[in-house]
Amino acid sequence: MRRVLCVWGLILLSMVALPGAWAADPGGGFGGTGIQPGGIGGTGIHPGGIGGTGITAVGVIQRFGSIYVNGREYLLTPRTRYLVDGISGSAKDLRLGDRVTVQAAAEGRSVALEVRVDHAVIGRVTGVDVAERRFTVLGQSIHVGAHLSMALRHSEQSLPFRALQVGDVVSVSGLHQGKAHWLATAITRLYPADAAPAHVPLLLRGRVSALHLDRGTLEVGATRLRVNEAQLRALQVGQSVVIRGEYADGGIRAESVTPAALAAQAIGDRVTLVGYLDREAGRWSSDGISLEEGAHTLYRNGDAGDMRVGGLVAIAGEVKAPGVIAVERVTFRVNPMDFDLPTLPPMAGGVAEALERPENEEERPEVSSPEIERPDIDYPSGNIDD
């Protein structure tokens, strides 16, 4: 234990010595570039004795140590709460590439109070196009970058994308490109096609595109599901929902439909967000969060004229109202897996590995494969069609 503590002491000293690693940027931004310290307000999370605003990060897990999201490190502590698709979990459930929402406070460095993993889809693969590096689950078209591999459940091994087969049961984390299209940032094969159990769970995240009260069904993208009448009547077209159910008796059964959790809700919270742009009713949005530009909004790698549907951007700002961000900075053409990450300091063998994982062995997240760290990103030039 003494040796481990000494190693971590050296790591922290080297990180402090990095030029600009924790320097504040007056303009605001990501990863040590202007996120102000504070607590979490209006979210039901009480860090105890921490005043001011909190931090909300919406992006993918880029690195462990504790976890990096949108270029900033968030410390995992025994008090950190974990939710995986709304169900209580632990740090061991975290994977590189998982799309997460982190609620944090700053006690010198950012402390994660809650880490919420939201999978895009869980279900059976119904189509695979190896040449186009796309596959389909529950009507969702999922694009896979050139270097993204497929992790295996309960294993540190991974498989190349070409090993994916129709009938395999997978979980997918990713960024919503619009309608029924996703960019995969992490794929895990839960069961191969020939070994799936009789009852397989499913999860579908998206917007309600149609309601058919007379038939007792709803549509999310290209998927139509039968839903309990009481739940169906509580829904609206355009609403973001999470559908849970199972495959059984050769069919699909939806067991629950719930509104998707709001990512940016505490007024005054600092927010970082990486996602694709959409536009509805004359307003920009990303993943259901409304974006309000202003006269003082700054742009990197472009200007206001580069805001277009299907563009992948990084957003920094402040929660103006639940689900609404007052945008302070927009960065164009980003890779979600390495955006704004600080450079690791050169270290002797073995120490760099320690930086990638939390010290607490029991809370150590399992990394399936280093191959999944940097998916290739396509940059759409216009609307994404069905």
Side-chain angles (χ1 to χ4, degrees):
M1 176 62 71
R2 184 182 302 274
R3 183 178 65 84
V4 173
L5 291 175
C6 290
V7 170
W8 274 94
L10 290 172
I11 292 170
L12 293 175
L13 285 173
S14 64
M15 292 180 76
V16 171
L18 282 174
W22 307 105
D25 175 45
F30 293 72
T33 58
I35 304 295
Q36 300 299 317
I40 301 294
T43 61
I45 303 173
H46 303 287
I50 301 175
T53 60
I55 304 169
T56 300
V58 184
V60 300
I61 296 177
Q62 303 166 309
R63 180 188 293 171
F64 286 106
S66 293
I67 59 171
Y68 283 79
V69 179
N70 300 343
R72 188 182 185 93
E73 184 182 20
Y74 295 90
L75 301 182
L76 306 179
T77 76
R79 292 195 302 167
T80 302
R81 180 188 181 202
Y82 303 91
L83 294 173
V84 181
D85 298 319
I87 299 173
S88 181
S90 72
K92 294 181 180 180
D93 296 314
L94 304 181
R95 300 288 184 272
L96 286 176
D98 275 347
R99 192 268 192 189
V100 296
T101 299
V102 181
Q103 298 284 359
E107 296 173 339
R109 291 163 66 190
S110 301
V111 178
L113 302 177
E114 179 179 276
V115 180
R116 192 174 76 227
V117 179
D118 295 317
H119 288 105
V121 62
I122 299 174
R124 291 186 184 275
V125 175
T126 54
V128 180
D129 187 330
V130 175
E132 294 293 327
R133 295 190 65 85
R134 290 186 180 274
F135 67 102
T136 305
V137 179
L138 291 171
Q140 307 298 294
S141 177
I142 301 163
H143 173 65
V144 182
H147 301 294
L148 184 65
S149 60
M150 179 172 59
L152 301 179
R153 187 186 190 194
H154 302 318
S155 172
E156 292 190 1
Q157 297 181 341
S158 63
L159 294 174
F161 171 68
R162 64 178 180 273
L164 186 66
Q165 300 291 321
V166 171
D168 287 351
V169 179
V170 298
S171 67
V172 180
S173 279
L175 303 180
H176 192 205
Q177 295 178 305
K179 298 182 180 179
H181 297 263
W182 297 81
L183 171 72
T185 53
I187 305 169
T188 300
R189 191 182 73 181
L190 304 178
Y191 304 101
D194 58 358
H199 295 267
V200 174
L202 67 84
L203 180 144
L204 175 59
R205 190 178 301 275
R207 286 191 176 188
V208 177
S209 53
L211 293 170
H212 305 283
L213 298 177
D214 56 334
R215 285 174 274 179
T217 62
L218 64 76
E219 295 178 21
V220 174
T223 301
R224 179 177 294 183
L225 294 167
R226 185 170 295 278
V227 179
N228 175 279
E229 181 179 350
Q231 294 187 64
L232 195 63
R233 292 186 178 280
L235 301 175
Q236 297 179 353
V237 173
Q239 185 174 10
S240 295
V241 297
V242 181
I243 301 173
R244 294 174 175 83
E246 66 174 10
Y247 297 84
D249 303 322
I252 299 176
R253 182 171 63 213
E255 297 175 344
S256 69
V257 183
T258 57
L262 192 61
Q265 57 181 324
I267 297 174
D269 265 13
R270 304 292 303 173
V271 180
T272 69
L273 164 69
V274 170
Y276 286 90
L277 289 172
D278 196 3
R279 191 168 180 83
E280 294 182 278
R283 299 182 67 176
W284 290 108
S285 66
S286 181
D287 205 18
I289 301 173
S290 294
L291 309 174
E292 290 193 359
E293 301 167 272
H296 300 291
T297 300
L298 301 178
Y299 301 89
R300 286 178 172 174
N301 303 332
D303 54 37
D306 294 310
M307 296 283 285
R308 56 175 57 93
V309 173
L312 182 56
V313 298
I315 300 293
E318 181 176 300
V319 178
K320 179 179 179 180
V324 180
I325 298 176
V327 178
E328 296 170 1
R329 177 169 295 169
V330 181
T331 304
F332 298 99
R333 299 182 63 83
V334 299
N335 185 326
M337 288 305 298
D338 63 14
F339 175 71
D340 234 15
L341 273 177
T343 303
L344 287 173
M347 298 182 187
V351 178
E353 171 65 17
L355 184 62
E356 294 293 324
R357 296 173 179 264
E359 177 184 348
N360 188 331
E361 191 71 26
E362 294 183 353
E363 291 297 319
R364 179 176 294 180
E366 299 171 359
V367 180
S368 299
S369 167
E371 292 183 81
I372 65 175
E373 291 191 30
R374 295 172 181 258
D376 285 356
I377 305 300
D378 291 339
Y379 299 99
S381 59
N383 294 341
I384 298 175
D385 300 323
D386 282 326

